[in-house]
Amino acid sequence: MWESILAASIVMLAFVLVTLAIWYALAIRGLRRQREHFARLHAELAPGQVVTFGNGIYGTTVAVYEDTADIQVKSGAVLTVSRYAISAIVRKEKQHAQHLADAH
């Protein structure tokens, strides 16, 4: 009886360890991909680009500094924000689609 309980416990422990190893590998892969995205974003960041923030605000970069960036929003106001607040650079195709949506 004890042998079957011990065998079941070992199988269950192995199952939990394999599940945790798979979860850890996937989490590390996602973090690596996110780190690469933001490294590329900060390397490409330049004045004149349309950018977006995590909360959905769009703006155009006016100036880019070491830790901050000046962003002009639609109203004409220029915001000084942390470079790390910028979540994406909007590509030309998305800008064109946004302009078409605003025109209608």
Side-chain angles (χ1 to χ4, degrees), residues 33-87:
R33 189 176 299 146
Q34 186 179 27
R35 191 177 314 124
E36 289 169 359
H37 165 76
F38 283 110
R40 192 171 42 254
L41 175 107
H42 291 293
E44 294 175 3
L45 198 58
Q49 294 175 319
V50 176
V51 296
T52 184
F53 299 100
N55 59 2
I57 296 175
Y58 286 80
T60 305
T61 55
V62 176
V64 179
Y65 306 107
E66 189 172 330
D67 290 329
T68 61
D70 290 340
I71 308 295
Q72 183 176 16
V73 292
K74 192 172 186 175
S75 68
V78 176
L79 308 171
T80 300
V81 299
S82 169
R83 287 178 65 139
Y84 307 105
I86 299 170
S87 63

Side-chain angles (χ1 to χ4, degrees), residues 17-27:
L17 290 176
V18 167
T19 303
L20 287 174
I22 291 171
W23 175 80
Y24 180 75
L26 291 175

